[in-house]
Amino acid sequence: MVQSKIRLEHVSASYGNVEDQNVVQVLRDVNLDVREGEFVSIVGPSGCGKSTVLNLAAGLWSPSDGDLSGSINVHHSERKQTIGYVLQKDALFPWRTLIKNVEYPLEIAGMPRRQREELAREWINRVGLSGFEERYPYQLSGGMRQRANIIRVLAYDPEIVLMDEPLGALDAHTRMVLQQQISDLWSASRKTVVFVTHDLEEAILLSTRVILMTKRPATVSASRAIDLPYPRSIMNLKLTPEFRSVYENLWNEFCGLLQ
Ligand SMILES: Nc1ncnc2c1ncn2[C@@H]1O[C@H](COP(=O)(O)OP(=O)(O)O)[C@@H](O)[C@H]1O
Ligand SMILES: [Mg+2]
């Protein structure tokens, strides 16, 4: 049986303090089961609680923030780094070159210099950034920085990768190039991924399963397996009747959530 990696059961959450009447209820009875090797996208209106779900999965919830009920389980093996978290805003250090940024988590993990340099170069090459190793973040385009942001997490080989709208701020063309790279990296590694986006098309193109969330207080309104084969060509897939049919199927439901 395929192992469950992240499981949220009946999770409700709110921010703020009940006493000062400033409570925002964010999640309401959320049930989510992400199994090993799935690429699950979470789609929902802005402000509905998608980032909150990722933060809960990453264990980044501080009880003083508000109220939390239900159970959250993250399963991982003993040996490995558990969770990698790619944030929407790139979190590169401005004072480190591209390669030194990618090396940073490996350095923290105590990997010897030669080995981590080699590994960082491999990843830089894999996403077409060779030649830019010694550049600083301000010398890179938005798309290049976001690529660096993503490979910095993948290079340390976490068992589960969480991505919070990593392509949200990019122009349409750069975005498609990066969607293809994410899809290729995933088909090669079959890692467990939870990917947050507000873009339904992007979710279907990349995922093995799409989860729709309602507006706040959010709950899961649909969970659909996307039965399209890998490896996928993002550019071509968009034009196929198979894709259109999945898209149209989810579109009405997606629009219903915005009402
Ligand atoms: N630390 C916080 N304190 C108070 N309210 C918060 C906090 N974080 C998020 N919120 C509120 O919770 C709601 C959901 O936030 P978030 O999970 O970031 O949504 P999404 O990622 O779907 O846009 C928003 O309305 C936001 O204003
Ligand atoms: Mg968010």
Side-chain angles (χ1 to χ4, degrees):
M1 215 185 81
V2 185
Q3 204 193 4
S4 168
K5 302 297 281 182
I6 298 174
R7 184 183 286 166
L8 271 61
E9 286 173 301
H10 303 296
V11 169
S12 295
S14 54
Y15 290 110
N17 191 335
V18 188
E19 275 151 34
D20 62 18
Q21 301 194 322
N22 234 341
V23 181
V24 181
Q25 206 198 342
V26 181
L27 303 178
R28 147 177 70 97
D29 199 25
V30 170
N31 293 289
L32 180 68
D33 187 9
V34 179
R35 291 179 292 276
E36 187 164 14
E38 280 196 292
F39 190 120
V40 173
S41 282
I42 300 179
V43 192
S46 177
C48 78
K50 303 181 294 297
S51 298
T52 302
V53 169
L54 288 193
N55 288 338
L56 288 172
L60 298 175
W61 171 280
S62 125
S64 63
D65 273 346
D67 205 35
L68 179 65
S69 66
S71 79
I72 300 158
N73 286 297
V74 178
H75 297 269
H76 57 92
S77 56
E78 300 271 304
R79 299 174 286 117
K80 283 189 125 190
Q81 301 269 8
T82 318
I83 288 190
Y85 201 164
V86 179
L87 302 170
Q88 171 165 3
K89 194 174 171 317
D90 77 65
L92 300 173
F93 297 124
W95 60 88
R96 285 189 157 226
T97 59
L98 167 60
I99 188 161
K100 290 289 173 205
N101 264 292
V102 178
E103 278 180 47
Y104 181 74
L106 307 169
E107 195 177 317
I108 297 295
M111 187 183 279
R113 186 184 206 106
R114 290 278 291 276
Q115 198 186 343
R116 71 177 190 247
E117 244 182 60
E118 201 176 315
L119 190 58
R121 273 184 210 287
E122 249 175 67
W123 278 96
I124 287 170
N125 186 31
R126 213 167 278 170
V127 294
L129 289 177
S130 294
F132 294 90
E133 290 85 350
E134 302 307 327
R135 303 289 175 93
Y136 289 88
Y138 79 90
Q139 298 172 308
L140 303 170
S141 71
M144 289 166 137
R145 281 200 300 273
Q146 201 51 294
R147 252 173 264 197
N149 201 32
I150 292 169
I151 61 172
R152 181 163 72 157
V153 167
L154 297 182
Y156 73 80
D157 199 22
E159 247 181 273
I160 300 169
V161 180
L162 308 176
M163 298 200 207
D164 196 354
E165 310 209 34
L167 312 182
L170 303 175
D171 65 87
H173 179 246
T174 309
R175 193 172 176 149
M176 196 156 72
V177 172
L178 263 71
Q179 286 169 346
Q180 187 62 57
Q181 289 185 342
I182 289 175
S183 188
D184 290 344
L185 292 171
W186 183 82
S187 342
S189 71
R190 303 277 165 158
K191 251 179 211 308
T192 309
V193 174
V194 185
F195 185 95
V196 163
T197 175
H198 54 260
D199 180 347
L200 181 61
E201 182 184 81
E202 176 169 275
I204 298 170
L205 288 169
L206 294 175
S207 314
T208 61
R209 191 151 59 96
V210 170
I211 300 227
L212 295 184
M213 294 192 79
T214 65
K215 48 184 192 186
R216 200 163 48 76
T219 193
V220 172
S221 83
S223 164
R224 291 288 153 72
I226 307 299
D227 204 9
L228 300 167
Y230 290 90
R232 294 179 182 175
S233 158
I234 300 298
M235 219 160 54
N236 297 329
L237 186 58
K238 281 188 199 207
L239 303 176
T240 63
E242 291 79 13
F243 171 79
R244 296 306 318 172
S245 129
V246 177
Y247 186 75
E248 279 161 25
N249 214 298
L250 277 165
W251 178 248
N252 283 339
E253 208 158 334
F254 178 64
C255 290
L257 299 175
L258 307 173
Q259 312 291 308

